[in-house]
Amino acid sequence: MLKDEHSAAVVDDLGLGAPKPAVPPNEPGTQLITAEQFILQQRMARFPTTSGEFSWLLSGITLATKMVAAQVRRAGLTSLLGSAGEINVQGETVQRLDVFANQALLHCLGNRGNVGVLASEENEQPVIALQDPEGGKYIVVFDPLDGSSNIDVNVNVGTIFSIMRRDMSNTSDPGADVLQQGTRQIAAGYVVYGSSTMLVYTTGDGVHGFTLDPAIGAYVLSHPNMQMPDRGNLYSTNEANADSYPEYCRRFLHWLKSGEDGTAYSSRYIGSLVADFHRTLLKGGIFLYPPTSQYPKGKLRLLYEANPIAMLAEQAGGRASDGQNRILDIEPTDLHQRVPLFVGSRYEMDRLEEFARRMKMR
Ligand code: AHM
Ligand code: MG
């Protein structure tokens, strides 16, 4: 067999040579639903007098995250890898892509005309984009590049966002509006920059996933109505810290590994909350970031990380708590407040809280 024929045969064996059926979402005439269209349709069904401005706000997020995705894809080729040489308000090293992502979100959301306040994990204080609470009636809180220590090693990172309404009664201190309980979020979501780029969001009517189609530059509906399995067989935690976890967490981990409930649990930990949560949403199980000796109040931030992730988890049929309290019920007292975070399937969350209660009773 000639070299070219051999290659052609291999290609055929792999099924690469055969013309593929076109992927329906890219076919003219077939139904393609973009994230913005979907949210508009959803809102018109629920609130027929909707003005479309929420969809306009969301398009600020989709635009910024497409800009970030483009940089993440090319990270090794550009000068955006590595540290920016600064330490942020969290005491962590700022990566160059952190700076890029932060600026992209501030820019794309700041000029929407309906976002009044922007609060970023990277900035000490909220940015007031529009003073007038009538015009700038939304607050967007975000972690621009979650898991950024993973960028340099080509591992998934993400963007997390939470949207709230401004408190019209408090015009003197617009920044104070940001400290709202998670139950008051009107939307939350994330983008995971993984093997594909996916946007997952909720507006309180289920969780929906959209995959960025690079051919047309749009987030296309790919995972409508996502449901977290009621139980799973994976747990996700930085086990190197386990010796300093509270005793109920150590016992719970031990119980998971014992196989006592008939499930052989396996562990998966990426170290990017967005990616670890995305897997938990799809496969079930539990993610744990308990208090540790280094982070006695937990490491993850209530407003930027725990609240949006908790809203998504609950909307998908899962749960999220700090070990005792529902995350969404916690009253925030500080913009950069940290909390322990446990999130996952109902079954594993119930078992964890049982351990917490039993240990407390002693
Ligand atoms: P970041 O937002 O500054 O990137 O930090 C948060 C990240 C989460 O994505 C992840 O769950 C956690 O920190 C990992 O922490 P650790 O390295 O201690 O396991
Ligand atoms: Mg983060």
Side-chain angles (χ1 to χ4, degrees), residues 32-45 55 58 201-203 205-210 219-225:
L32 175 152
I33 302 174
T34 66
E36 291 81 7
Q37 256 176 314
F38 185 78
I39 200 161
L40 204 55
Q41 282 169 7
Q42 243 194 344
R43 286 188 81 79
M44 283 180 48
S55 160
L58 191 84
Y201 73 65
T202 180
T203 52
D205 193 17
V207 176
H208 309 286
F210 302 79
Y219 285 105
V220 175
L221 181 63
S222 54
H223 295 63
N225 246 321

Coordinates of all heavy atoms in Angstrom, one line a residue, residues 32-45 55 58 201-203 205-210 219-225:
L32 N -31.0 27.2 16.3 CA -29.8 27.6 17.0 C -30.2 28.6 18.1 O -30.8 29.7 17.7 CB -28.8 28.2 16.0 CG -27.5 28.8 16.6 CD1 -26.4 28.7 15.5 CD2 -27.6 30.3 16.9
I33 N -30.0 28.3 19.3 CA -30.4 29.3 20.3 C -29.2 29.8 21.1 O -28.5 29.0 21.7 CB -31.4 28.6 21.3 CG1 -32.6 28.0 20.5 CG2 -31.9 29.6 22.4 CD1 -33.6 27.2 21.4
T34 N -29.0 31.1 21.0 CA -27.8 31.6 21.7 C -28.3 32.0 23.1 O -29.5 32.0 23.4 CB -27.3 32.9 21.0 OG1 -28.4 33.9 21.1 CG2 -27.0 32.7 19.6
A35 N -27.3 32.2 24.0 CA -27.5 32.5 25.4 C -28.5 33.8 25.5 O -29.4 33.8 26.3 CB -26.2 32.8 26.1
E36 N -28.2 34.8 24.7 CA -29.0 36.0 24.8 C -30.4 35.8 24.4 O -31.3 36.3 25.0 CB -28.3 37.2 24.0 CG -27.0 37.7 24.5 CD -25.8 36.8 24.1 OE1 -26.0 35.8 23.3 OE2 -24.7 37.0 24.6
Q37 N -30.5 35.0 23.3 CA -31.9 34.7 22.8 C -32.7 33.9 23.8 O -33.8 34.2 24.1 CB -31.8 33.8 21.6 CG -32.0 34.4 20.2 CD -31.7 33.3 19.2 OE1 -30.7 32.6 19.3 NE2 -32.6 33.2 18.3
F38 N -32.0 33.0 24.4 CA -32.6 32.1 25.4 C -33.1 32.9 26.6 O -34.3 32.7 27.0 CB -31.6 31.0 25.8 CG -32.2 30.0 26.7 CD1 -33.0 29.0 26.2 CD2 -32.0 30.0 28.1 CE1 -33.6 28.0 27.0 CE2 -32.6 29.1 28.9 CZ -33.3 28.0 28.4
I39 N -32.3 33.8 27.0 CA -32.7 34.5 28.2 C -33.9 35.4 27.9 O -34.8 35.6 28.7 CB -31.5 35.2 28.9 CG1 -31.9 35.6 30.3 CG2 -31.1 36.5 28.2 CD1 -30.8 35.9 31.2
L40 N -33.8 36.0 26.7 CA -34.9 36.9 26.3 C -36.2 36.1 26.2 O -37.3 36.5 26.7 CB -34.6 37.5 24.9 CG -35.3 38.8 24.6 CD1 -35.0 39.8 25.6 CD2 -34.7 39.3 23.2
Q41 N -36.2 34.9 25.6 CA -37.4 34.0 25.5 C -37.9 33.7 26.8 O -39.1 33.7 27.1 CB -37.0 32.8 24.7 CG -36.9 32.9 23.2 CD -36.3 31.7 22.5 OE1 -36.1 30.7 23.1 NE2 -36.0 31.9 21.2
Q42 N -36.9 33.3 27.7 CA -37.3 32.8 29.1 C -38.0 34.0 29.8 O -39.0 33.8 30.4 CB -36.0 32.5 29.8 CG -35.9 31.1 30.2 CD -34.8 30.9 31.3 OE1 -34.0 31.8 31.4 NE2 -34.8 29.8 32.0
R43 N -37.4 35.1 29.7 CA -38.0 36.3 30.4 C -39.3 36.7 29.8 O -40.2 37.1 30.6 CB -37.0 37.4 30.5 CG -35.9 37.1 31.5 CD -35.0 38.3 31.7 NE -35.5 39.3 32.7 CZ -35.5 39.1 34.0 NH1 -35.0 38.0 34.5 NH2 -36.0 40.0 34.8
M44 N -39.5 36.6 28.5 CA -40.7 37.0 27.9 C -41.8 36.1 28.4 O -43.0 36.5 28.5 CB -40.6 37.1 26.4 CG -39.9 38.4 26.1 SD -39.6 38.9 24.5 CE -41.0 38.7 23.6
A45 N -41.5 34.8 28.5 CA -42.5 33.8 29.0 C -42.9 34.1 30.4 O -44.1 34.0 30.8 CB -41.9 32.4 28.8
S55 N -31.1 40.9 29.2 CA -30.4 40.2 28.1 C -29.2 41.1 27.6 O -28.1 40.5 27.3 CB -31.4 39.9 27.0 OG -30.8 39.7 25.8
L58 N -26.5 40.7 30.2 CA -25.9 39.4 30.0 C -24.9 39.4 28.8 O -23.9 38.7 28.8 CB -26.9 38.3 29.8 CG -26.3 36.9 29.9 CD1 -26.2 36.4 31.4 CD2 -27.1 35.9 29.1
Y201 N -25.6 29.2 33.5 CA -26.3 30.2 34.3 C -27.7 29.9 34.7 O -28.3 29.0 34.2 CB -26.2 31.6 33.6 CG -27.1 31.8 32.5 CD1 -28.5 31.8 32.6 CD2 -26.6 32.1 31.2 CE1 -29.4 32.1 31.6 CE2 -27.5 32.4 30.2 CZ -28.8 32.3 30.3 OH -29.7 32.6 29.3
T202 N -28.1 30.6 35.7 CA -29.5 30.5 36.2 C -30.1 31.9 36.4 O -29.3 32.8 36.8 CB -29.6 29.6 37.4 OG1 -31.0 29.6 37.8 CG2 -28.9 30.2 38.6
T203 N -31.4 32.0 36.1 CA -32.0 33.2 36.5 C -33.2 32.9 37.5 O -34.2 33.6 37.6 CB -32.6 34.0 35.3 OG1 -33.4 33.1 34.6 CG2 -31.5 34.6 34.4
D205 N -34.8 29.9 37.2 CA -35.7 29.1 36.5 C -34.9 27.9 35.9 O -35.0 27.7 34.7 CB -36.4 29.9 35.5 CG -37.6 29.2 34.9 OD1 -38.1 28.3 35.5 OD2 -38.1 29.7 33.8
G206 N -34.2 27.2 36.7 CA -33.4 26.1 36.3 C -32.0 26.6 35.8 O -31.7 27.8 35.8
V207 N -31.2 25.6 35.5 CA -29.8 25.9 35.1 C -29.6 25.5 33.7 O -30.0 24.4 33.3 CB -28.8 25.1 36.1 CG1 -27.4 25.3 35.6 CG2 -29.0 25.5 37.5
H208 N -29.0 26.3 32.9 CA -28.9 26.1 31.5 C -27.4 26.3 31.0 O -26.8 27.2 31.5 CB -29.8 27.0 30.7 CG -31.2 26.9 31.2 ND1 -32.0 25.8 31.0 CD2 -31.9 27.8 32.0 CE1 -33.2 26.0 31.6 NE2 -33.1 27.2 32.3
G209 N -27.0 25.4 30.2 CA -25.6 25.4 29.8 C -25.5 25.7 28.3 O -26.2 25.2 27.4
F210 N -24.5 26.5 27.9 CA -24.3 27.0 26.5 C -22.8 26.8 26.2 O -21.9 27.1 27.0 CB -24.6 28.5 26.4 CG -26.0 28.8 26.8 CD1 -26.3 28.9 28.1 CD2 -27.0 29.0 25.8 CE1 -27.6 29.2 28.5 CE2 -28.3 29.2 26.2 CZ -28.6 29.3 27.6
Y219 N -22.3 31.7 22.2 CA -22.6 30.6 23.1 C -24.0 30.0 22.7 O -25.0 30.7 22.6 CB -22.8 31.2 24.5 CG -21.5 31.6 25.2 CD1 -21.2 32.9 25.4 CD2 -20.7 30.6 25.8 CE1 -20.0 33.2 26.0 CE2 -19.5 30.9 26.4 CZ -19.2 32.2 26.6 OH -18.0 32.6 27.2
V220 N -24.0 28.7 22.4 CA -25.1 28.1 21.8 C -25.7 27.1 22.9 O -24.9 26.3 23.5 CB -24.8 27.3 20.5 CG1 -25.9 26.5 20.0 CG2 -24.3 28.3 19.5
L221 N -27.0 27.1 23.0 CA -27.6 26.2 24.0 C -27.3 24.8 23.8 O -27.5 24.2 22.7 CB -29.2 26.4 24.0 CG -30.0 25.5 25.0 CD1 -29.7 25.9 26.4 CD2 -31.5 25.7 24.7
S222 N -26.6 24.1 24.7 CA -26.2 22.7 24.6 C -26.7 21.9 25.7 O -26.8 20.7 25.6 CB -24.7 22.7 24.5 OG -24.1 23.3 25.6
H223 N -26.9 22.5 26.9 CA -27.3 21.7 28.1 C -28.5 22.4 28.7 O -28.4 23.0 29.8 CB -26.2 21.6 29.1 CG -25.0 20.9 28.6 ND1 -24.2 21.3 27.6 CD2 -24.4 19.8 29.1 CE1 -23.2 20.5 27.4 NE2 -23.3 19.5 28.3
P224 N -29.7 22.2 28.1 CA -30.9 22.9 28.8 C -31.2 22.1 30.1 O -31.0 20.9 30.2 CB -32.0 22.7 27.8 CG -31.6 21.6 26.8 CD -30.1 21.5 26.9
N225 N -31.7 22.8 31.1 CA -32.3 22.2 32.3 C -31.3 21.2 33.0 O -31.7 20.1 33.1 CB -33.6 21.5 32.0 CG -34.7 22.2 32.7 OD1 -34.4 22.7 33.9 ND2 -35.8 22.4 32.1

